[in-house]
Amino acid sequence: MFFLVSTPIGNLEDITLRAIKTLKEVETILCEDTRHSLPLLRHFGISTKVESYHKFNEEKNLPSLLARLKKGEKIALISDAGTPGIADPGERLVAECRKEGIEVVPIPGACAPIAALVASGLPTTRFQWVGFLPKKKGELETALKDYLDYRGTTVIFETPHRIIDTLEMLLELAPKRQLVVARELTKKFETFVTGKAEELLAAFKTPPRGEIVLLLSPKEEEEKEPPEALLKELLQEKGLRVKEVVEIAHQMTGYPKKVLYKIALELQ
Ligand code: SAM
């Protein structure tokens, strides 16, 4: 039997009784990083044998793990934090177990995207979790455009050194969209900051530290594209300077001046 056991994402009290019991009863615990997980296991009096299982040895270890599971060994998988398989190792082994008819048992618990979603204040009836964003600018833009088109809440894993770039791009792509930055969930400095990209950028003059989940509110039917036609029209009017055009368009549409300025310069 193969168990996927969720562990805390910050607050040690977020381990379940069933998780502790399972981790004590199995014969082997696969850990993403044994040095990271041993203190947690010791804390809960779990002395089960551990083995490392991460993306770099996943492929190599797969056949022997499947053979052991088939023979009846009880094995659990934990990641550094949260639920295995969610931007952490697990998916591949579970798929192979299913193919081979090996029983897979989830032991649910902490999961950062779900904790962020349910407390964000954004709709929970329909959502997509998309993991981490691409690093390259072009790919990031394509991905964000795609996610902004979704009619449910989008849940994204972010990092302190990239959140500002992401918010800058969201300011251009969807300045009116409501966003939530959920930080350090279940920990001492847990915070939720809600606002449009411009407001969040103002709130994060220094980039937020720690672990971050970013949420995008759903696309709404009446969401408007930036007013390019209006800017074009105003720019063609005699005597109006770019600054004045931007001011008028801002008054008329409520679009952030920074975005309007960029478009007006491109149109000129
Ligand atoms: N499997 C984990 C889970 O179920 O939550 C997620 C692992 S993923 C490698 C790590 C990312 O999850 C972080 O970069 C961050 O985006 C998010 N994350 C994990 N713990 C968090 C926390 N306590 N607060 C906010 N975000 C967190």
PDB file of all heavy atoms in Angstrom, residues 166-201:
ATOM      1  N   THR A 166       5.800  40.112 -11.470  1.00  0.00           N
ATOM      2  CA  THR A 166       4.478  39.570 -11.828  1.00  0.00           C
ATOM      3  C   THR A 166       3.399  40.640 -11.650  1.00  0.00           C
ATOM      4  O   THR A 166       2.529  40.820 -12.513  1.00  0.00           O
ATOM      5  CB  THR A 166       4.162  38.338 -10.952  1.00  0.00           C
ATOM      6  OG1 THR A 166       5.203  37.380 -11.113  1.00  0.00           O
ATOM      7  CG2 THR A 166       2.832  37.711 -11.329  1.00  0.00           C
ATOM      8  N   LEU A 167       3.479  41.379 -10.547  1.00  0.00           N
ATOM      9  CA  LEU A 167       2.472  42.423 -10.306  1.00  0.00           C
ATOM     10  C   LEU A 167       2.588  43.543 -11.349  1.00  0.00           C
ATOM     11  O   LEU A 167       1.574  44.077 -11.804  1.00  0.00           O
ATOM     12  CB  LEU A 167       2.618  42.999  -8.890  1.00  0.00           C
ATOM     13  CG  LEU A 167       2.228  42.056  -7.740  1.00  0.00           C
ATOM     14  CD1 LEU A 167       2.566  42.675  -6.387  1.00  0.00           C
ATOM     15  CD2 LEU A 167       0.746  41.691  -7.797  1.00  0.00           C
ATOM     16  N   GLU A 168       3.827  43.869 -11.746  1.00  0.00           N
ATOM     17  CA  GLU A 168       4.028  44.899 -12.793  1.00  0.00           C
ATOM     18  C   GLU A 168       3.353  44.451 -14.088  1.00  0.00           C
ATOM     19  O   GLU A 168       2.713  45.236 -14.772  1.00  0.00           O
ATOM     20  CB  GLU A 168       5.528  45.098 -13.080  1.00  0.00           C
ATOM     21  CG  GLU A 168       6.341  45.584 -11.895  1.00  0.00           C
ATOM     22  CD  GLU A 168       6.489  47.093 -11.843  1.00  0.00           C
ATOM     23  OE1 GLU A 168       5.790  47.751 -12.616  1.00  0.00           O
ATOM     24  OE2 GLU A 168       7.267  47.580 -11.006  1.00  0.00           O
ATOM     25  N   MET A 169       3.492  43.166 -14.404  1.00  0.00           N
ATOM     26  CA  MET A 169       2.887  42.679 -15.639  1.00  0.00           C
ATOM     27  C   MET A 169       1.358  42.649 -15.509  1.00  0.00           C
ATOM     28  O   MET A 169       0.642  42.966 -16.462  1.00  0.00           O
ATOM     29  CB  MET A 169       3.426  41.298 -15.989  1.00  0.00           C
ATOM     30  CG  MET A 169       3.085  40.927 -17.401  1.00  0.00           C
ATOM     31  SD  MET A 169       3.996  39.543 -18.027  1.00  0.00           S
ATOM     32  CE  MET A 169       5.524  40.281 -18.511  1.00  0.00           C
ATOM     33  N   LEU A 170       0.879  42.302 -14.330  1.00  0.00           N
ATOM     34  CA  LEU A 170      -0.576  42.294 -14.121  1.00  0.00           C
ATOM     35  C   LEU A 170      -1.139  43.716 -14.190  1.00  0.00           C
ATOM     36  O   LEU A 170      -2.276  43.923 -14.620  1.00  0.00           O
ATOM     37  CB  LEU A 170      -0.917  41.651 -12.772  1.00  0.00           C
ATOM     38  CG  LEU A 170      -0.791  40.124 -12.753  1.00  0.00           C
ATOM     39  CD1 LEU A 170      -0.833  39.587 -11.330  1.00  0.00           C
ATOM     40  CD2 LEU A 170      -1.901  39.477 -13.587  1.00  0.00           C
ATOM     41  N   LEU A 171      -0.331  44.691 -13.800  1.00  0.00           N
ATOM     42  CA  LEU A 171      -0.767  46.087 -13.899  1.00  0.00           C
ATOM     43  C   LEU A 171      -1.026  46.449 -15.359  1.00  0.00           C
ATOM     44  O   LEU A 171      -1.973  47.159 -15.682  1.00  0.00           O
ATOM     45  CB  LEU A 171       0.306  47.007 -13.296  1.00  0.00           C
ATOM     46  CG  LEU A 171       0.046  48.505 -13.423  1.00  0.00           C
ATOM     47  CD1 LEU A 171      -1.151  48.914 -12.569  1.00  0.00           C
ATOM     48  CD2 LEU A 171       1.273  49.306 -12.990  1.00  0.00           C
ATOM     49  N   GLU A 172      -0.180  45.905 -16.237  1.00  0.00           N
ATOM     50  CA  GLU A 172      -0.369  46.171 -17.669  1.00  0.00           C
ATOM     51  C   GLU A 172      -1.509  45.361 -18.266  1.00  0.00           C
ATOM     52  O   GLU A 172      -2.304  45.871 -19.032  1.00  0.00           O
ATOM     53  CB  GLU A 172       0.902  45.814 -18.424  1.00  0.00           C
ATOM     54  CG  GLU A 172       1.937  46.889 -18.356  1.00  0.00           C
ATOM     55  CD  GLU A 172       3.126  46.574 -19.233  1.00  0.00           C
ATOM     56  OE1 GLU A 172       2.924  45.934 -20.287  1.00  0.00           O
ATOM     57  OE2 GLU A 172       4.235  46.964 -18.857  1.00  0.00           O
ATOM     58  N   LEU A 173      -1.578  44.091 -17.885  1.00  0.00           N
ATOM     59  CA  LEU A 173      -2.539  43.193 -18.535  1.00  0.00           C
ATOM     60  C   LEU A 173      -3.954  43.316 -17.970  1.00  0.00           C
ATOM     61  O   LEU A 173      -4.921  43.133 -18.690  1.00  0.00           O
ATOM     62  CB  LEU A 173      -2.079  41.738 -18.402  1.00  0.00           C
ATOM     63  CG  LEU A 173      -0.758  41.358 -19.052  1.00  0.00           C
ATOM     64  CD1 LEU A 173      -0.429  39.900 -18.758  1.00  0.00           C
ATOM     65  CD2 LEU A 173      -0.820  41.579 -20.560  1.00  0.00           C
ATOM     66  N   ALA A 174      -4.047  43.582 -16.669  1.00  0.00           N
ATOM     67  CA  ALA A 174      -5.385  43.588 -16.039  1.00  0.00           C
ATOM     68  C   ALA A 174      -5.396  44.524 -14.833  1.00  0.00           C
ATOM     69  O   ALA A 174      -5.521  44.089 -13.694  1.00  0.00           O
ATOM     70  CB  ALA A 174      -5.753  42.172 -15.597  1.00  0.00           C
ATOM     71  N   PRO A 175      -5.268  45.836 -15.106  1.00  0.00           N
ATOM     72  CA  PRO A 175      -5.147  46.783 -13.985  1.00  0.00           C
ATOM     73  C   PRO A 175      -6.373  46.829 -13.078  1.00  0.00           C
ATOM     74  O   PRO A 175      -6.285  47.297 -11.944  1.00  0.00           O
ATOM     75  CB  PRO A 175      -4.923  48.128 -14.678  1.00  0.00           C
ATOM     76  CG  PRO A 175      -5.370  47.934 -16.071  1.00  0.00           C
ATOM     77  CD  PRO A 175      -5.193  46.506 -16.417  1.00  0.00           C
ATOM     78  N   LYS A 176      -7.502  46.366 -13.587  1.00  0.00           N
ATOM     79  CA  LYS A 176      -8.724  46.456 -12.765  1.00  0.00           C
ATOM     80  C   LYS A 176      -9.009  45.175 -11.996  1.00  0.00           C
ATOM     81  O   LYS A 176      -9.979  45.095 -11.237  1.00  0.00           O
ATOM     82  CB  LYS A 176      -9.917  46.790 -13.651  1.00  0.00           C
ATOM     83  CG  LYS A 176      -9.758  48.156 -14.276  1.00  0.00           C
ATOM     84  CD  LYS A 176     -11.072  48.678 -14.754  1.00  0.00           C
ATOM     85  CE  LYS A 176     -10.938  50.153 -15.073  1.00  0.00           C
ATOM     86  NZ  LYS A 176     -12.164  50.705 -15.576  1.00  0.00           N
ATOM     87  N   ARG A 177      -8.203  44.170 -12.224  1.00  0.00           N
ATOM     88  CA  ARG A 177      -8.491  42.854 -11.610  1.00  0.00           C
ATOM     89  C   ARG A 177      -8.140  42.857 -10.123  1.00  0.00           C
ATOM     90  O   ARG A 177      -7.091  43.344  -9.713  1.00  0.00           O
ATOM     91  CB  ARG A 177      -7.682  41.775 -12.338  1.00  0.00           C
ATOM     92  CG  ARG A 177      -8.091  40.361 -12.005  1.00  0.00           C
ATOM     93  CD  ARG A 177      -9.439  40.020 -12.550  1.00  0.00           C
ATOM     94  NE  ARG A 177      -9.482  39.931 -13.996  1.00  0.00           N
ATOM     95  CZ  ARG A 177      -9.324  38.799 -14.672  1.00  0.00           C
ATOM     96  NH1 ARG A 177      -9.118  37.665 -14.045  1.00  0.00           N
ATOM     97  NH2 ARG A 177      -9.406  38.798 -15.981  1.00  0.00           N
ATOM     98  N   GLN A 178      -9.019  42.258  -9.328  1.00  0.00           N
ATOM     99  CA  GLN A 178      -8.789  42.120  -7.889  1.00  0.00           C
ATOM    100  C   GLN A 178      -7.802  40.967  -7.654  1.00  0.00           C
ATOM    101  O   GLN A 178      -7.988  39.877  -8.216  1.00  0.00           O
ATOM    102  CB  GLN A 178     -10.136  41.826  -7.209  1.00  0.00           C
ATOM    103  CG  GLN A 178     -10.192  42.093  -5.741  1.00  0.00           C
ATOM    104  CD  GLN A 178     -10.144  43.580  -5.406  1.00  0.00           C
ATOM    105  OE1 GLN A 178     -10.191  44.435  -6.279  1.00  0.00           O
ATOM    106  NE2 GLN A 178     -10.033  43.885  -4.132  1.00  0.00           N
ATOM    107  N   LEU A 179      -6.765  41.220  -6.856  1.00  0.00           N
ATOM    108  CA  LEU A 179      -5.748  40.201  -6.585  1.00  0.00           C
ATOM    109  C   LEU A 179      -5.614  40.007  -5.077  1.00  0.00           C
ATOM    110  O   LEU A 179      -5.945  40.909  -4.306  1.00  0.00           O
ATOM    111  CB  LEU A 179      -4.378  40.649  -7.131  1.00  0.00           C
ATOM    112  CG  LEU A 179      -4.342  41.191  -8.563  1.00  0.00           C
ATOM    113  CD1 LEU A 179      -2.974  41.815  -8.848  1.00  0.00           C
ATOM    114  CD2 LEU A 179      -4.631  40.087  -9.553  1.00  0.00           C
ATOM    115  N   VAL A 180      -5.107  38.862  -4.687  1.00  0.00           N
ATOM    116  CA  VAL A 180      -4.827  38.623  -3.260  1.00  0.00           C
ATOM    117  C   VAL A 180      -3.426  38.017  -3.146  1.00  0.00           C
ATOM    118  O   VAL A 180      -3.088  37.091  -3.881  1.00  0.00           O
ATOM    119  CB  VAL A 180      -5.857  37.656  -2.626  1.00  0.00           C
ATOM    120  CG1 VAL A 180      -5.516  37.405  -1.147  1.00  0.00           C
ATOM    121  CG2 VAL A 180      -7.274  38.210  -2.741  1.00  0.00           C
ATOM    122  N   VAL A 181      -2.623  38.564  -2.228  1.00  0.00           N
ATOM    123  CA  VAL A 181      -1.326  37.961  -1.907  1.00  0.00           C
ATOM    124  C   VAL A 181      -1.454  37.349  -0.514  1.00  0.00           C
ATOM    125  O   VAL A 181      -1.693  38.051   0.464  1.00  0.00           O
ATOM    126  CB  VAL A 181      -0.186  39.009  -1.948  1.00  0.00           C
ATOM    127  CG1 VAL A 181       1.111  38.416  -1.387  1.00  0.00           C
ATOM    128  CG2 VAL A 181       0.037  39.485  -3.381  1.00  0.00           C
ATOM    129  N   ALA A 182      -1.349  36.019  -0.458  1.00  0.00           N
ATOM    130  CA  ALA A 182      -1.434  35.300   0.822  1.00  0.00           C
ATOM    131  C   ALA A 182      -0.012  34.863   1.180  1.00  0.00           C
ATOM    132  O   ALA A 182       0.649  34.183   0.400  1.00  0.00           O
ATOM    133  CB  ALA A 182      -2.341  34.079   0.674  1.00  0.00           C
ATOM    134  N   ARG A 183       0.448  35.283   2.340  1.00  0.00           N
ATOM    135  CA  ARG A 183       1.867  35.093   2.681  1.00  0.00           C
ATOM    136  C   ARG A 183       2.012  34.379   4.020  1.00  0.00           C
ATOM    137  O   ARG A 183       1.227  34.609   4.938  1.00  0.00           O
ATOM    138  CB  ARG A 183       2.471  36.490   2.776  1.00  0.00           C
ATOM    139  CG  ARG A 183       3.956  36.585   2.604  1.00  0.00           C
ATOM    140  CD  ARG A 183       4.367  38.037   2.610  1.00  0.00           C
ATOM    141  NE  ARG A 183       4.162  38.634   3.924  1.00  0.00           N
ATOM    142  CZ  ARG A 183       5.015  38.537   4.932  1.00  0.00           C
ATOM    143  NH1 ARG A 183       6.133  37.896   4.787  1.00  0.00           N
ATOM    144  NH2 ARG A 183       4.746  39.097   6.082  1.00  0.00           N
ATOM    145  N   GLU A 184       2.988  33.504   4.099  1.00  0.00           N
ATOM    146  CA  GLU A 184       3.357  32.858   5.361  1.00  0.00           C
ATOM    147  C   GLU A 184       2.154  32.198   6.062  1.00  0.00           C
ATOM    148  O   GLU A 184       1.952  32.365   7.275  1.00  0.00           O
ATOM    149  CB  GLU A 184       4.035  33.877   6.287  1.00  0.00           C
ATOM    150  CG  GLU A 184       5.393  34.360   5.787  1.00  0.00           C
ATOM    151  CD  GLU A 184       6.456  33.282   5.874  1.00  0.00           C
ATOM    152  OE1 GLU A 184       6.568  32.513   4.922  1.00  0.00           O
ATOM    153  OE2 GLU A 184       7.147  33.196   6.884  1.00  0.00           O
ATOM    154  N   LEU A 185       1.389  31.472   5.284  1.00  0.00           N
ATOM    155  CA  LEU A 185       0.177  30.831   5.814  1.00  0.00           C
ATOM    156  C   LEU A 185       0.499  29.917   6.984  1.00  0.00           C
ATOM    157  O   LEU A 185       1.489  29.175   6.937  1.00  0.00           O
ATOM    158  CB  LEU A 185      -0.489  30.017   4.701  1.00  0.00           C
ATOM    159  CG  LEU A 185      -1.054  30.849   3.554  1.00  0.00           C
ATOM    160  CD1 LEU A 185      -1.281  29.994   2.317  1.00  0.00           C
ATOM    161  CD2 LEU A 185      -2.329  31.528   3.973  1.00  0.00           C
ATOM    162  N   THR A 186      -0.323  29.974   7.983  1.00  0.00           N
ATOM    163  CA  THR A 186      -0.249  29.178   9.223  1.00  0.00           C
ATOM    164  C   THR A 186       0.946  29.560  10.107  1.00  0.00           C
ATOM    165  O   THR A 186       1.177  28.948  11.131  1.00  0.00           O
ATOM    166  CB  THR A 186      -0.200  27.641   8.971  1.00  0.00           C
ATOM    167  OG1 THR A 186       1.130  27.261   8.558  1.00  0.00           O
ATOM    168  CG2 THR A 186      -1.203  27.163   7.939  1.00  0.00           C
ATOM    169  N   LYS A 187       1.729  30.562   9.687  1.00  0.00           N
ATOM    170  CA  LYS A 187       2.914  30.961  10.468  1.00  0.00           C
ATOM    171  C   LYS A 187       2.643  32.268  11.209  1.00  0.00           C
ATOM    172  O   LYS A 187       1.605  32.904  11.018  1.00  0.00           O
ATOM    173  CB  LYS A 187       4.121  31.131   9.541  1.00  0.00           C
ATOM    174  CG  LYS A 187       4.453  29.884   8.739  1.00  0.00           C
ATOM    175  CD  LYS A 187       5.705  30.101   7.930  1.00  0.00           C
ATOM    176  CE  LYS A 187       5.782  29.133   6.772  1.00  0.00           C
ATOM    177  NZ  LYS A 187       6.893  29.414   5.887  1.00  0.00           N
ATOM    178  N   LYS A 188       3.642  32.683  11.971  1.00  0.00           N
ATOM    179  CA  LYS A 188       3.494  33.868  12.836  1.00  0.00           C
ATOM    180  C   LYS A 188       3.111  35.124  12.040  1.00  0.00           C
ATOM    181  O   LYS A 188       2.294  35.924  12.483  1.00  0.00           O
ATOM    182  CB  LYS A 188       4.817  34.096  13.566  1.00  0.00           C
ATOM    183  CG  LYS A 188       4.747  35.125  14.652  1.00  0.00           C
ATOM    184  CD  LYS A 188       6.048  35.184  15.411  1.00  0.00           C
ATOM    185  CE  LYS A 188       6.018  36.356  16.365  1.00  0.00           C
ATOM    186  NZ  LYS A 188       7.353  36.681  16.854  1.00  0.00           N
ATOM    187  N   PHE A 189       3.738  35.303  10.881  1.00  0.00           N
ATOM    188  CA  PHE A 189       3.485  36.536  10.131  1.00  0.00           C
ATOM    189  C   PHE A 189       2.526  36.322   8.950  1.00  0.00           C
ATOM    190  O   PHE A 189       2.662  36.953   7.893  1.00  0.00           O
ATOM    191  CB  PHE A 189       4.809  37.151   9.665  1.00  0.00           C
ATOM    192  CG  PHE A 189       5.662  37.593  10.819  1.00  0.00           C
ATOM    193  CD1 PHE A 189       6.796  36.878  11.181  1.00  0.00           C
ATOM    194  CD2 PHE A 189       5.295  38.692  11.587  1.00  0.00           C
ATOM    195  CE1 PHE A 189       7.568  37.256  12.264  1.00  0.00           C
ATOM    196  CE2 PHE A 189       6.056  39.089  12.685  1.00  0.00           C
ATOM    197  CZ  PHE A 189       7.189  38.366  13.031  1.00  0.00           C
ATOM    198  N   GLU A 190       1.565  35.454   9.135  1.00  0.00           N
ATOM    199  CA  GLU A 190       0.563  35.204   8.081  1.00  0.00           C
ATOM    200  C   GLU A 190      -0.144  36.513   7.728  1.00  0.00           C
ATOM    201  O   GLU A 190      -0.607  37.230   8.608  1.00  0.00           O
ATOM    202  CB  GLU A 190      -0.467  34.194   8.594  1.00  0.00           C
ATOM    203  CG  GLU A 190      -1.595  33.933   7.616  1.00  0.00           C
ATOM    204  CD  GLU A 190      -2.582  32.908   8.155  1.00  0.00           C
ATOM    205  OE1 GLU A 190      -2.330  31.716   8.050  1.00  0.00           O
ATOM    206  OE2 GLU A 190      -3.604  33.348   8.731  1.00  0.00           O
ATOM    207  N   THR A 191      -0.198  36.831   6.420  1.00  0.00           N
ATOM    208  CA  THR A 191      -0.934  38.031   5.995  1.00  0.00           C
ATOM    209  C   THR A 191      -1.664  37.788   4.675  1.00  0.00           C
ATOM    210  O   THR A 191      -1.191  37.038   3.824  1.00  0.00           O
ATOM    211  CB  THR A 191      -0.004  39.259   5.758  1.00  0.00           C
ATOM    212  OG1 THR A 191       1.129  38.829   5.023  1.00  0.00           O
ATOM    213  CG2 THR A 191       0.415  39.934   7.032  1.00  0.00           C
ATOM    214  N   PHE A 192      -2.783  38.461   4.546  1.00  0.00           N
ATOM    215  CA  PHE A 192      -3.532  38.474   3.285  1.00  0.00           C
ATOM    216  C   PHE A 192      -3.634  39.934   2.861  1.00  0.00           C
ATOM    217  O   PHE A 192      -4.122  40.752   3.633  1.00  0.00           O
ATOM    218  CB  PHE A 192      -4.943  37.908   3.476  1.00  0.00           C
ATOM    219  CG  PHE A 192      -4.982  36.409   3.606  1.00  0.00           C
ATOM    220  CD1 PHE A 192      -4.702  35.800   4.821  1.00  0.00           C
ATOM    221  CD2 PHE A 192      -5.294  35.602   2.521  1.00  0.00           C
ATOM    222  CE1 PHE A 192      -4.731  34.417   4.939  1.00  0.00           C
ATOM    223  CE2 PHE A 192      -5.326  34.221   2.632  1.00  0.00           C
ATOM    224  CZ  PHE A 192      -5.042  33.630   3.845  1.00  0.00           C
ATOM    225  N   VAL A 193      -3.155  40.264   1.670  1.00  0.00           N
ATOM    226  CA  VAL A 193      -3.289  41.630   1.174  1.00  0.00           C
ATOM    227  C   VAL A 193      -4.103  41.575  -0.115  1.00  0.00           C
ATOM    228  O   VAL A 193      -3.766  40.837  -1.046  1.00  0.00           O
ATOM    229  CB  VAL A 193      -1.914  42.290   0.898  1.00  0.00           C
ATOM    230  CG1 VAL A 193      -2.087  43.751   0.520  1.00  0.00           C
ATOM    231  CG2 VAL A 193      -1.005  42.166   2.119  1.00  0.00           C
ATOM    232  N   THR A 194      -5.182  42.368  -0.144  1.00  0.00           N
ATOM    233  CA  THR A 194      -6.097  42.351  -1.294  1.00  0.00           C
ATOM    234  C   THR A 194      -6.062  43.704  -1.989  1.00  0.00           C
ATOM    235  O   THR A 194      -5.979  44.734  -1.330  1.00  0.00           O
ATOM    236  CB  THR A 194      -7.537  42.097  -0.789  1.00  0.00           C
ATOM    237  OG1 THR A 194      -7.530  40.884  -0.048  1.00  0.00           O
ATOM    238  CG2 THR A 194      -8.523  41.982  -1.928  1.00  0.00           C
ATOM    239  N   GLY A 195      -6.127  43.689  -3.307  1.00  0.00           N
ATOM    240  CA  GLY A 195      -6.198  44.956  -4.032  1.00  0.00           C
ATOM    241  C   GLY A 195      -5.891  44.746  -5.497  1.00  0.00           C
ATOM    242  O   GLY A 195      -5.593  43.638  -5.933  1.00  0.00           O
ATOM    243  N   LYS A 196      -5.938  45.858  -6.246  1.00  0.00           N
ATOM    244  CA  LYS A 196      -5.558  45.789  -7.660  1.00  0.00           C
ATOM    245  C   LYS A 196      -4.031  45.848  -7.724  1.00  0.00           C
ATOM    246  O   LYS A 196      -3.388  46.208  -6.728  1.00  0.00           O
ATOM    247  CB  LYS A 196      -6.188  46.961  -8.396  1.00  0.00           C
ATOM    248  CG  LYS A 196      -7.698  46.842  -8.361  1.00  0.00           C
ATOM    249  CD  LYS A 196      -8.368  47.981  -9.068  1.00  0.00           C
ATOM    250  CE  LYS A 196      -9.863  47.800  -8.920  1.00  0.00           C
ATOM    251  NZ  LYS A 196     -10.558  48.982  -8.458  1.00  0.00           N
ATOM    252  N   ALA A 197      -3.475  45.526  -8.898  1.00  0.00           N
ATOM    253  CA  ALA A 197      -2.008  45.461  -9.034  1.00  0.00           C
ATOM    254  C   ALA A 197      -1.338  46.742  -8.534  1.00  0.00           C
ATOM    255  O   ALA A 197      -0.344  46.691  -7.807  1.00  0.00           O
ATOM    256  CB  ALA A 197      -1.650  45.196 -10.492  1.00  0.00           C
ATOM    257  N   GLU A 198      -1.923  47.884  -8.905  1.00  0.00           N
ATOM    258  CA  GLU A 198      -1.333  49.172  -8.518  1.00  0.00           C
ATOM    259  C   GLU A 198      -1.292  49.313  -6.982  1.00  0.00           C
ATOM    260  O   GLU A 198      -0.295  49.765  -6.417  1.00  0.00           O
ATOM    261  CB  GLU A 198      -2.181  50.290  -9.123  1.00  0.00           C
ATOM    262  CG  GLU A 198      -1.497  51.618  -9.159  1.00  0.00           C
ATOM    263  CD  GLU A 198      -2.357  52.669  -9.871  1.00  0.00           C
ATOM    264  OE1 GLU A 198      -3.605  52.551  -9.861  1.00  0.00           O
ATOM    265  OE2 GLU A 198      -1.764  53.600 -10.431  1.00  0.00           O
ATOM    266  N   GLU A 199      -2.357  48.880  -6.329  1.00  0.00           N
ATOM    267  CA  GLU A 199      -2.416  48.988  -4.864  1.00  0.00           C
ATOM    268  C   GLU A 199      -1.429  48.029  -4.190  1.00  0.00           C
ATOM    269  O   GLU A 199      -0.791  48.367  -3.195  1.00  0.00           O
ATOM    270  CB  GLU A 199      -3.851  48.691  -4.378  1.00  0.00           C
ATOM    271  CG  GLU A 199      -4.845  49.761  -4.804  1.00  0.00           C
ATOM    272  CD  GLU A 199      -6.303  49.290  -4.798  1.00  0.00           C
ATOM    273  OE1 GLU A 199      -6.572  48.075  -4.759  1.00  0.00           O
ATOM    274  OE2 GLU A 199      -7.168  50.177  -4.843  1.00  0.00           O
ATOM    275  N   LEU A 200      -1.312  46.831  -4.758  1.00  0.00           N
ATOM    276  CA  LEU A 200      -0.385  45.856  -4.169  1.00  0.00           C
ATOM    277  C   LEU A 200       1.057  46.312  -4.359  1.00  0.00           C
ATOM    278  O   LEU A 200       1.888  46.160  -3.462  1.00  0.00           O
ATOM    279  CB  LEU A 200      -0.598  44.469  -4.773  1.00  0.00           C
ATOM    280  CG  LEU A 200      -1.951  43.816  -4.459  1.00  0.00           C
ATOM    281  CD1 LEU A 200      -1.986  42.393  -4.987  1.00  0.00           C
ATOM    282  CD2 LEU A 200      -2.231  43.796  -2.970  1.00  0.00           C
ATOM    283  N   LEU A 201       1.345  46.905  -5.528  1.00  0.00           N
ATOM    284  CA  LEU A 201       2.706  47.403  -5.757  1.00  0.00           C
ATOM    285  C   LEU A 201       3.034  48.512  -4.756  1.00  0.00           C
ATOM    286  O   LEU A 201       4.152  48.607  -4.259  1.00  0.00           O
ATOM    287  CB  LEU A 201       2.847  47.912  -7.197  1.00  0.00           C
ATOM    288  CG  LEU A 201       3.016  46.806  -8.236  1.00  0.00           C
ATOM    289  CD1 LEU A 201       2.798  47.333  -9.649  1.00  0.00           C
ATOM    290  CD2 LEU A 201       4.402  46.160  -8.138  1.00  0.00           C
TER     291      LEU A 201
END
